[in-house]
Amino acid sequence: MKYDLSNKRCVEKLLHDAGFTFKKSLGQNFLTDPSVCPEMAFAAADADTGVIEIGPGIGVLTVELAEIAKKVIAVELDERLRPILAKTLEDYPNASVIFSDVLKLDLNKLIEDEFKDCKRVTICANLPYYITSPIIMSLLESKLPVESITVMVQKEAAERLCAKIPSRDVGAVTLAAAFYAEGEMLFGVPRDSFTPAPNVDSAVIQFKIRRSAVAEVRDEKLLFRLIRGAFEHRRKILVNSVSASGVVSKEKLTSALTELDIPLTVRAEQLSLEQFAALADKL
Ligand code: SAM
């Protein structure tokens, strides 16, 4: 049986029959806007694609992905959703659910084991907002063999992640994400598209994973420590912010900036990714 998972009444009945109550601590805001999931699925998959979904909830995005993709594996933390997902995904043999914390799952192994018969693998999710950045950074840093990551996040997080570099809107996460992927804002989603409605609007963004490095760097870990240190006190000039964070001394930083012809008064938001990489190499 197919359920109308974007229909508020249908969703409420499914949840009520299963005795399910929302857990705010798990970021449980379920989409009930019929236009959003088909559009996300279309952006993330085609008939040759294997998709990993994070946090399927009751399966509203999962079924749209399953309609388009070759195979969908969803990872859900909340075991209480098991009986509901068993019903809503009953007619979709190409979709299955692993009940686990996505941050603890070996996604490289999952891709190797499950998606051998797919031409490409992508990730698509309406992310739980309490762990948006850790999930995105862990997906990017683990260098998964995926083509793209299409996710719904809080609007402010989307703007930060896709900010133009350099600009005032840039944060450490912008540069870290840009190192691995090219981010693009796809469309906005108002707060009343969810049950229950969150206090913020959302947006769908897509990262296309880079095939080759945007900036060559000898020590990636140092680059990211430098970037985090630079944005830790974003009102301070770079030399003061980085040295205050303890990553490297003021003297070393001053001489590296001088060698690279970068003004000593520069702030983190004024540097490009390539300049951060050159600075990390000098250090
Ligand atoms: N995809 C559904 C939708 O669009 O309506 C639900 C999205 S809801 C914003 C986030 C989902 O992520 C919830 O189902 C929640 O239980 C799940 N979740 C929260 N933390 C998780 C984690 N660490 N690993 C996997 N799933 C998680």
Side-chain angles (χ1 to χ4, degrees):
M1 176 179 166
K2 295 211 173 173
Y3 295 86
D4 184 358
L5 298 178
S6 295
N7 179 307
K8 260 190 186 173
R9 281 219 195 118
C10 175
V11 174
E12 279 162 9
K13 179 160 177 10
L14 264 172
L15 297 177
H16 177 267
D17 289 353
F20 181 91
T21 48
F22 292 101
K23 266 195 190 161
K24 213 174 166 187
S25 62
L26 290 182
Q28 289 179 336
N29 302 96
F30 294 169
L31 262 167
T32 45
D33 177 333
S35 68
V36 176
C37 292
E39 216 169 319
M40 283 183 79
F42 184 69
D46 64 15
D48 296 320
T49 311
V51 187
I52 299 177
E53 187 197 353
I54 299 162
I58 59 169
V60 62
L61 175 59
T62 326
V63 298
E64 296 299 336
L65 289 166
E67 291 280 356
I68 293 184
K70 191 171 176 93
K71 188 170 184 181
V72 183
I73 302 217
V75 183
E76 173 59 58
L77 179 59
D78 192 347
E79 277 275 355
R80 298 175 308 149
L81 289 162
R82 191 187 284 274
I84 301 177
L85 284 163
K87 275 190 193 174
T88 59
L89 300 182
E90 196 178 25
D91 289 346
Y92 297 91
N94 62 337
S96 56
V97 184
I98 295 174
F99 286 89
S100 167
D101 181 342
V102 72
L103 290 173
K104 295 187 180 147
L105 201 63
D106 183 347
L107 292 179
N108 265 306
K109 184 166 182 321
L110 184 136
I111 291 172
E112 212 179 290
D113 293 348
E114 300 286 348
F115 292 114
K116 279 198 184 81
D117 53 344
C118 297
K119 267 198 193 150
R120 66 188 70 81
V121 179
T122 64
I123 295 176
C124 188
N126 171 12
L127 288 179
Y129 293 167
Y130 74 107
I131 42 169
T132 297
S133 286
I135 291 182
I136 291 180
M137 287 324 298
S138 135
L139 295 176
L140 291 171
E141 280 167 10
S142 47
K143 299 191 176 161
L144 300 170
V146 301
E147 207 173 271
S148 66
I149 300 175
T150 308
V151 281
M152 180 168 337
V153 299
Q154 223 171 302
K155 187 165 163 263
E156 287 69 23
E159 284 164 354
R160 180 74 92 197
L161 281 158
C162 297
K164 187 176 171 303
I165 305 171
S167 78
R168 299 195 76 164
D169 303 325
V170 167
V173 76
T174 322
L175 288 155
F179 185 77
Y180 298 109
E182 208 175 327
E184 187 193 351
M185 183 81 86
L186 295 190
F187 56 91
V189 182
R191 62 194 75 186
D192 59 11
S193 303
F194 300 85
T195 297
N199 297 326
V200 289
D201 292 323
S202 300
V204 176
I205 57 177
Q206 184 168 64
F207 291 108
K208 292 243 164 73
I209 306 301
R210 294 188 194 282
R211 295 255 165 268
S212 53
V214 66
E216 293 297 340
V217 65
R218 284 200 293 272
D219 184 346
E220 264 181 42
K221 282 206 176 115
L222 174 63
L223 171 66
F224 292 126
R225 279 173 55 220
L226 184 66
I227 290 173
R228 270 198 300 276
F231 283 93
E232 210 163 277
H233 309 275
R234 56 183 303 142
R235 294 233 180 86
K236 292 187 179 174
I237 59 169
L238 182 99
V239 187
N240 290 342
S241 181
V242 173
S243 55
S245 70
V247 178
V248 59
S249 73
K250 211 168 185 168
E251 292 67 37
K252 276 194 181 159
L253 203 54
T254 304
S255 86
L257 285 171
T258 310
E259 276 182 55
L260 291 168
D261 268 338
I262 298 173
L264 298 180
T265 52
V266 78
R267 287 174 204 281
E269 64 198 28
Q270 295 172 310
L271 284 185
S272 67
L273 189 50
E274 291 80 357
Q275 284 174 308
F276 267 110
L279 198 54
D281 275 357
K282 279 271 175 247
L283 291 166

mmCIF file of all heavy atoms in Angstrom, residues 26-31 37 53-61 75-78 81 100-103 126-131 135, ligand 1:
data_model
loop_
_atom_site.group_PDB
_atom_site.id
_atom_site.type_symbol
_atom_site.label_atom_id
_atom_site.label_comp_id
_atom_site.label_asym_id
_atom_site.label_seq_id
_atom_site.Cartn_x
_atom_site.Cartn_y
_atom_site.Cartn_z
ATOM 1 N N LEU A 26 16.352 14.714 18.672
ATOM 2 C CA LEU A 26 16.858 14.021 17.479
ATOM 3 C C LEU A 26 16.585 14.823 16.201
ATOM 4 O O LEU A 26 16.742 14.316 15.091
ATOM 5 C CB LEU A 26 16.234 12.630 17.351
ATOM 6 C CG LEU A 26 16.667 11.591 18.387
ATOM 7 C CD1 LEU A 26 16.007 10.245 18.100
ATOM 8 C CD2 LEU A 26 18.183 11.417 18.373
ATOM 9 N N GLY A 27 16.166 16.071 16.374
ATOM 10 C CA GLY A 27 15.918 16.930 15.200
ATOM 11 C C GLY A 27 14.762 16.415 14.363
ATOM 12 O O GLY A 27 14.817 16.478 13.135
ATOM 13 N N GLN A 28 13.717 15.892 15.022
ATOM 14 C CA GLN A 28 12.640 15.266 14.256
ATOM 15 C C GLN A 28 11.576 16.267 13.798
ATOM 16 O O GLN A 28 10.563 16.489 14.475
ATOM 17 C CB GLN A 28 12.026 14.133 15.073
ATOM 18 C CG GLN A 28 12.993 12.961 15.159
ATOM 19 C CD GLN A 28 12.493 11.798 15.975
ATOM 20 O OE1 GLN A 28 11.648 11.961 16.844
ATOM 21 N NE2 GLN A 28 13.038 10.620 15.726
ATOM 22 N N ASN A 29 11.819 16.882 12.655
ATOM 23 C CA ASN A 29 10.828 17.718 11.979
ATOM 24 C C ASN A 29 10.604 17.061 10.628
ATOM 25 O O ASN A 29 11.524 17.004 9.815
ATOM 26 C CB ASN A 29 11.338 19.152 11.794
ATOM 27 C CG ASN A 29 11.702 19.793 13.115
ATOM 28 O OD1 ASN A 29 12.868 19.792 13.510
ATOM 29 N ND2 ASN A 29 10.725 20.305 13.818
ATOM 30 N N PHE A 30 9.408 16.528 10.424
ATOM 31 C CA PHE A 30 9.163 15.743 9.213
ATOM 32 C C PHE A 30 8.560 16.624 8.109
ATOM 33 O O PHE A 30 7.663 17.429 8.361
ATOM 34 C CB PHE A 30 8.240 14.555 9.518
ATOM 35 C CG PHE A 30 8.866 13.528 10.448
ATOM 36 C CD1 PHE A 30 8.091 12.520 11.012
ATOM 37 C CD2 PHE A 30 10.223 13.553 10.757
ATOM 38 C CE1 PHE A 30 8.653 11.571 11.861
ATOM 39 C CE2 PHE A 30 10.796 12.601 11.598
ATOM 40 C CZ PHE A 30 10.008 11.613 12.156
ATOM 41 N N LEU A 31 9.033 16.419 6.889
ATOM 42 C CA LEU A 31 8.580 17.232 5.756
ATOM 43 C C LEU A 31 7.150 16.871 5.358
ATOM 44 O O LEU A 31 6.834 15.696 5.177
ATOM 45 C CB LEU A 31 9.488 16.959 4.563
ATOM 46 C CG LEU A 31 10.602 17.952 4.315
ATOM 47 C CD1 LEU A 31 11.586 17.366 3.318
ATOM 48 C CD2 LEU A 31 10.073 19.284 3.824
ATOM 49 N N CYS A 37 10.454 16.841 -1.658
ATOM 50 C CA CYS A 37 11.185 15.560 -1.791
ATOM 51 C C CYS A 37 11.401 15.127 -3.237
ATOM 52 O O CYS A 37 12.509 14.692 -3.590
ATOM 53 C CB CYS A 37 10.492 14.464 -0.982
ATOM 54 S SG CYS A 37 10.647 14.794 0.773
ATOM 55 N N GLU A 53 20.664 7.610 2.298
ATOM 56 C CA GLU A 53 19.881 8.678 2.925
ATOM 57 C C GLU A 53 20.160 8.667 4.427
ATOM 58 O O GLU A 53 20.289 7.594 5.034
ATOM 59 C CB GLU A 53 18.378 8.484 2.683
ATOM 60 C CG GLU A 53 17.578 9.689 3.194
ATOM 61 C CD GLU A 53 16.089 9.436 3.373
ATOM 62 O OE1 GLU A 53 15.590 8.361 2.996
ATOM 63 O OE2 GLU A 53 15.437 10.324 3.940
ATOM 64 N N ILE A 54 20.270 9.843 5.011
ATOM 65 C CA ILE A 54 20.496 9.929 6.460
ATOM 66 C C ILE A 54 19.214 10.435 7.116
ATOM 67 O O ILE A 54 18.696 11.480 6.720
ATOM 68 C CB ILE A 54 21.676 10.890 6.762
ATOM 69 C CG1 ILE A 54 22.944 10.358 6.107
ATOM 70 C CG2 ILE A 54 21.857 11.063 8.274
ATOM 71 C CD1 ILE A 54 24.032 11.401 5.954
ATOM 72 N N GLY A 55 18.715 9.693 8.093
ATOM 73 C CA GLY A 55 17.525 10.131 8.829
ATOM 74 C C GLY A 55 16.256 10.101 7.999
ATOM 75 O O GLY A 55 15.699 11.145 7.677
ATOM 76 N N PRO A 56 15.756 8.907 7.629
ATOM 77 C CA PRO A 56 14.564 8.838 6.775
ATOM 78 C C PRO A 56 13.266 9.267 7.463
ATOM 79 O O PRO A 56 12.285 9.552 6.773
ATOM 80 C CB PRO A 56 14.491 7.362 6.386
ATOM 81 C CG PRO A 56 15.199 6.641 7.482
ATOM 82 C CD PRO A 56 16.306 7.570 7.920
ATOM 83 N N GLY A 57 13.235 9.296 8.805
ATOM 84 C CA GLY A 57 11.980 9.630 9.487
ATOM 85 C C GLY A 57 10.943 8.579 9.165
ATOM 86 O O GLY A 57 11.146 7.387 9.411
ATOM 87 N N ILE A 58 9.812 9.009 8.539
ATOM 88 C CA ILE A 58 8.793 8.016 8.174
ATOM 89 C C ILE A 58 8.956 7.589 6.711
ATOM 90 O O ILE A 58 8.133 6.842 6.190
ATOM 91 C CB ILE A 58 7.366 8.546 8.411
ATOM 92 C CG1 ILE A 58 7.128 9.812 7.579
ATOM 93 C CG2 ILE A 58 7.120 8.811 9.882
ATOM 94 C CD1 ILE A 58 5.667 10.231 7.561
ATOM 95 N N GLY A 59 9.980 8.126 6.030
ATOM 96 C CA GLY A 59 10.283 7.643 4.678
ATOM 97 C C GLY A 59 9.798 8.537 3.549
ATOM 98 O O GLY A 59 9.782 8.122 2.395
ATOM 99 N N VAL A 60 9.450 9.792 3.856
ATOM 100 C CA VAL A 60 8.879 10.664 2.824
ATOM 101 C C VAL A 60 9.861 10.928 1.674
ATOM 102 O O VAL A 60 9.468 10.900 0.495
ATOM 103 C CB VAL A 60 8.353 11.985 3.455
ATOM 104 C CG1 VAL A 60 9.464 12.791 4.106
ATOM 105 C CG2 VAL A 60 7.641 12.849 2.444
ATOM 106 N N LEU A 61 11.138 11.125 2.002
ATOM 107 C CA LEU A 61 12.158 11.320 0.954
ATOM 108 C C LEU A 61 12.613 9.961 0.412
ATOM 109 O O LEU A 61 12.885 9.815 -0.783
ATOM 110 C CB LEU A 61 13.343 12.110 1.535
ATOM 111 C CG LEU A 61 14.568 12.329 0.657
ATOM 112 C CD1 LEU A 61 14.210 13.077 -0.626
ATOM 113 C CD2 LEU A 61 15.647 13.122 1.417
ATOM 114 N N VAL A 75 19.790 5.439 6.713
ATOM 115 C CA VAL A 75 20.371 5.191 8.041
ATOM 116 C C VAL A 75 19.595 6.009 9.061
ATOM 117 O O VAL A 75 19.577 7.239 8.984
ATOM 118 C CB VAL A 75 21.860 5.617 8.073
ATOM 119 C CG1 VAL A 75 22.468 5.288 9.430
ATOM 120 C CG2 VAL A 75 22.644 4.949 6.955
ATOM 121 N N GLU A 76 18.910 5.317 9.975
ATOM 122 C CA GLU A 76 18.059 6.004 10.958
ATOM 123 C C GLU A 76 18.460 5.604 12.376
ATOM 124 O O GLU A 76 18.644 4.438 12.675
ATOM 125 C CB GLU A 76 16.582 5.649 10.690
ATOM 126 C CG GLU A 76 15.584 6.142 11.715
ATOM 127 C CD GLU A 76 15.584 7.663 11.900
ATOM 128 O OE1 GLU A 76 15.364 8.386 10.945
ATOM 129 O OE2 GLU A 76 15.843 8.104 13.050
ATOM 130 N N LEU A 77 18.585 6.607 13.240
ATOM 131 C CA LEU A 77 18.994 6.351 14.619
ATOM 132 C C LEU A 77 17.837 5.858 15.491
ATOM 133 O O LEU A 77 18.029 5.036 16.392
ATOM 134 C CB LEU A 77 19.569 7.654 15.208
ATOM 135 C CG LEU A 77 20.047 7.640 16.642
ATOM 136 C CD1 LEU A 77 21.151 6.620 16.841
ATOM 137 C CD2 LEU A 77 20.563 9.016 17.039
ATOM 138 N N ASP A 78 16.631 6.331 15.193
ATOM 139 C CA ASP A 78 15.508 6.093 16.101
ATOM 140 C C ASP A 78 14.786 4.777 15.772
ATOM 141 O O ASP A 78 13.989 4.703 14.826
ATOM 142 C CB ASP A 78 14.542 7.279 16.005
ATOM 143 C CG ASP A 78 13.509 7.264 17.106
ATOM 144 O OD1 ASP A 78 13.381 6.227 17.802
ATOM 145 O OD2 ASP A 78 12.818 8.287 17.277
ATOM 146 N N LEU A 81 11.044 4.146 14.817
ATOM 147 C CA LEU A 81 10.489 4.336 13.479
ATOM 148 C C LEU A 81 10.447 3.039 12.672
ATOM 149 O O LEU A 81 9.897 2.994 11.583
ATOM 150 C CB LEU A 81 11.307 5.401 12.726
ATOM 151 C CG LEU A 81 11.105 6.832 13.261
ATOM 152 C CD1 LEU A 81 12.218 7.751 12.808
ATOM 153 C CD2 LEU A 81 9.751 7.385 12.799
ATOM 154 N N SER A 100 21.023 2.827 12.931
ATOM 155 C CA SER A 100 22.344 3.101 13.493
ATOM 156 C C SER A 100 22.556 4.619 13.540
ATOM 157 O O SER A 100 21.846 5.375 12.876
ATOM 158 C CB SER A 100 23.398 2.454 12.593
ATOM 159 O OG SER A 100 24.682 2.913 12.904
ATOM 160 N N ASP A 101 23.552 5.022 14.314
ATOM 161 C CA ASP A 101 23.970 6.418 14.316
ATOM 162 C C ASP A 101 24.877 6.617 13.105
ATOM 163 O O ASP A 101 25.903 5.940 12.988
ATOM 164 C CB ASP A 101 24.742 6.692 15.619
ATOM 165 C CG ASP A 101 25.187 8.135 15.720
ATOM 166 O OD1 ASP A 101 25.213 8.834 14.701
ATOM 167 O OD2 ASP A 101 25.520 8.554 16.846
ATOM 168 N N VAL A 102 24.503 7.521 12.214
ATOM 169 C CA VAL A 102 25.288 7.684 10.977
ATOM 170 C C VAL A 102 26.740 8.074 11.275
ATOM 171 O O VAL A 102 27.651 7.725 10.524
ATOM 172 C CB VAL A 102 24.618 8.706 10.025
ATOM 173 C CG1 VAL A 102 24.755 10.130 10.549
ATOM 174 C CG2 VAL A 102 25.202 8.601 8.631
ATOM 175 N N LEU A 103 26.956 8.751 12.400
ATOM 176 C CA LEU A 103 28.323 9.182 12.732
ATOM 177 C C LEU A 103 29.192 8.008 13.204
ATOM 178 O O LEU A 103 30.401 8.140 13.321
ATOM 179 C CB LEU A 103 28.304 10.285 13.789
ATOM 180 C CG LEU A 103 27.759 11.639 13.318
ATOM 181 C CD1 LEU A 103 27.608 12.609 14.467
ATOM 182 C CD2 LEU A 103 28.657 12.237 12.234
ATOM 183 N N ASN A 126 17.451 15.038 4.535
ATOM 184 C CA ASN A 126 16.963 16.188 5.288
ATOM 185 C C ASN A 126 17.609 16.010 6.657
ATOM 186 O O ASN A 126 17.153 15.209 7.467
ATOM 187 C CB ASN A 126 15.434 16.130 5.335
ATOM 188 C CG ASN A 126 14.847 17.148 6.277
ATOM 189 O OD1 ASN A 126 15.542 18.058 6.742
ATOM 190 N ND2 ASN A 126 13.565 16.996 6.575
ATOM 191 N N LEU A 127 18.702 16.709 6.886
ATOM 192 C CA LEU A 127 19.559 16.405 8.049
ATOM 193 C C LEU A 127 18.951 16.851 9.380
ATOM 194 O O LEU A 127 18.288 17.882 9.441
ATOM 195 C CB LEU A 127 20.919 17.093 7.894
ATOM 196 C CG LEU A 127 21.874 16.523 6.852
ATOM 197 C CD1 LEU A 127 23.158 17.340 6.820
ATOM 198 C CD2 LEU A 127 22.202 15.066 7.119
ATOM 199 N N PRO A 128 19.226 16.069 10.448
ATOM 200 C CA PRO A 128 18.855 16.556 11.785
ATOM 201 C C PRO A 128 19.741 17.756 12.113
ATOM 202 O O PRO A 128 20.964 17.668 12.030
ATOM 203 C CB PRO A 128 19.174 15.355 12.689
ATOM 204 C CG PRO A 128 20.083 14.465 11.909
ATOM 205 C CD PRO A 128 19.879 14.755 10.460
ATOM 206 N N TYR A 129 19.105 18.915 12.436
ATOM 207 C CA TYR A 129 19.854 20.170 12.525
ATOM 208 C C TYR A 129 20.860 20.218 13.672
ATOM 209 O O TYR A 129 21.817 20.963 13.616
ATOM 210 C CB TYR A 129 18.901 21.363 12.620
ATOM 211 C CG TYR A 129 18.095 21.566 11.350
ATOM 212 C CD1 TYR A 129 16.997 22.401 11.323
ATOM 213 C CD2 TYR A 129 18.457 20.911 10.172
ATOM 214 C CE1 TYR A 129 16.264 22.574 10.151
ATOM 215 C CE2 TYR A 129 17.736 21.073 9.017
ATOM 216 C CZ TYR A 129 16.632 21.906 9.007
ATOM 217 O OH TYR A 129 15.920 22.071 7.858
ATOM 218 N N TYR A 130 20.650 19.375 14.708
ATOM 219 C CA TYR A 130 21.559 19.464 15.855
ATOM 220 C C TYR A 130 22.967 18.938 15.531
ATOM 221 O O TYR A 130 23.895 19.188 16.292
ATOM 222 C CB TYR A 130 20.963 18.734 17.081
ATOM 223 C CG TYR A 130 21.011 17.221 17.009
ATOM 224 C CD1 TYR A 130 21.893 16.481 17.789
ATOM 225 C CD2 TYR A 130 20.178 16.525 16.142
ATOM 226 C CE1 TYR A 130 21.940 15.096 17.713
ATOM 227 C CE2 TYR A 130 20.206 15.151 16.059
ATOM 228 C CZ TYR A 130 21.091 14.447 16.847
ATOM 229 O OH TYR A 130 21.138 13.077 16.763
ATOM 230 N N ILE A 131 23.095 18.203 14.406
ATOM 231 C CA ILE A 131 24.426 17.708 14.041
ATOM 232 C C ILE A 131 24.742 17.932 12.547
ATOM 233 O O ILE A 131 25.457 17.152 11.931
ATOM 234 C CB ILE A 131 24.625 16.209 14.386
ATOM 235 C CG1 ILE A 131 23.382 15.404 14.014
ATOM 236 C CG2 ILE A 131 25.048 16.007 15.811
ATOM 237 C CD1 ILE A 131 23.606 13.900 14.069
ATOM 238 N N ILE A 135 28.001 16.088 10.653
ATOM 239 C CA ILE A 135 27.690 15.081 9.623
ATOM 240 C C ILE A 135 28.339 15.488 8.299
ATOM 241 O O ILE A 135 29.045 14.704 7.662
ATOM 242 C CB ILE A 135 26.165 14.883 9.429
ATOM 243 C CG1 ILE A 135 25.548 14.215 10.655
ATOM 244 C CG2 ILE A 135 25.883 14.035 8.188
ATOM 245 C CD1 ILE A 135 24.061 13.939 10.543
HETATM 246 N N1 SAM B 1 13.730 12.503 6.217
HETATM 247 C C1 SAM B 1 12.626 12.809 7.091
HETATM 248 C C2 SAM B 1 11.848 13.979 6.527
HETATM 249 O O1 SAM B 1 12.381 14.669 5.660
HETATM 250 O O2 SAM B 1 10.722 14.183 6.954
HETATM 251 C C3 SAM B 1 13.076 13.107 8.519
HETATM 252 C C4 SAM B 1 14.078 14.226 8.676
HETATM 253 S S1 SAM B 1 14.330 14.730 10.336
HETATM 254 C C5 SAM B 1 14.817 16.412 10.047
HETATM 255 C C6 SAM B 1 15.884 14.002 10.802
HETATM 256 C C7 SAM B 1 15.878 12.492 10.980
HETATM 257 O O3 SAM B 1 17.226 12.100 11.352
HETATM 258 C C8 SAM B 1 14.982 11.954 12.081
HETATM 259 O O4 SAM B 1 14.269 10.849 11.593
HETATM 260 C C9 SAM B 1 15.948 11.521 13.199
HETATM 261 O O5 SAM B 1 15.442 10.478 13.994
HETATM 262 C C10 SAM B 1 17.171 11.115 12.391
HETATM 263 N N2 SAM B 1 18.460 11.189 13.110
HETATM 264 C C11 SAM B 1 18.812 12.029 14.108
HETATM 265 N N3 SAM B 1 20.084 11.822 14.481
HETATM 266 C C12 SAM B 1 20.579 10.816 13.687
HETATM 267 C C13 SAM B 1 21.828 10.131 13.609
HETATM 268 N N4 SAM B 1 22.836 10.459 14.400
HETATM 269 N N5 SAM B 1 21.952 9.142 12.701
HETATM 270 C C14 SAM B 1 20.918 8.802 11.868
HETATM 271 N N6 SAM B 1 19.711 9.415 11.912
HETATM 272 C C15 SAM B 1 19.538 10.409 12.812
#
